[in-house]
Amino acid sequence: QVQLAESGGGTVQPGDSLRLSCAASGGTLDYHAVAWFRQAPGKEREGVSCISTTDGRTFYADSVKGRFTTSTDYKTVYLQMNSLRPEDTGVYYCASEPGRWVSLNVGDFGSWGQGTQVTVSS
């Protein structure tokens, strides 16, 4: 299994943008499904986006469609977050699993990073 490390979190104001990175070590992310999840205090972890590095397919939660974009260069997966809202606040995790599919289900992923905090507040 590859090891994952997130970076790029921070505190921003509503309407601002952030770019998160998920770097892989111990291997590459080709032929993987790589997803971003987030968890707000007191809430369950929820799927945000997923990309298949095999064919570039992407899948987004309805709450972020049109605002967030995920991409990859096979060593790193990115999450570009625009028009951020207070409800986007949480710890953001990246997760990966070998396979040619996309999913936002927590149980489908075996490798997880430690998370990076995103806070959107005025």
Side-chain angles (χ1 to χ4, degrees):
Q1 287 184 334
V2 297
Q3 289 77 49
L4 304 174
E6 304 92 339
S7 62
T11 299
V12 297
Q13 294 187 337
D16 286 352
S17 298
L18 276 177
R19 189 192 196 203
L20 304 183
S21 298
C22 173
S25 60
T28 63
L29 293 174
D30 49 339
Y31 304 110
H32 276 67
V34 184
W36 286 95
F37 293 82
R38 65 187 180 191
Q39 189 164 18
K43 294 189 176 181
E44 292 187 353
R45 194 169 297 188
E46 63 171 351
V48 173
S49 68
C50 187
I51 186 166
S52 168
T53 63
T54 303
D55 58 14
R57 280 180 297 154
T58 56
F59 186 58
Y60 297 94
D62 288 343
S63 59
V64 305
K65 280 181 183 176
R67 300 188 299 122
F68 291 12
T69 303
T70 187
S71 60
T72 182
D73 61 8
Y74 303 106
K75 289 186 178 180
T76 304
V77 171
Y78 305 96
L79 183 66
Q80 178 66 43
M81 305 186 295
N82 298 328
S83 303
L84 282 161
R85 304 167 181 170
E87 54 264 38
D88 295 319
T89 294
V91 179
Y92 282 68
Y93 301 89
C94 65
S96 71
E97 186 69 23
R100 303 183 180 202
W101 40 263
V102 290
S103 170
L104 294 181
N105 294 319
V106 171
D108 288 338
F109 296 88
S111 294
W112 290 81
Q114 293 300 306
T116 185
Q117 177 71 44
V118 172
T119 302
V120 184
S121 174
S122 55

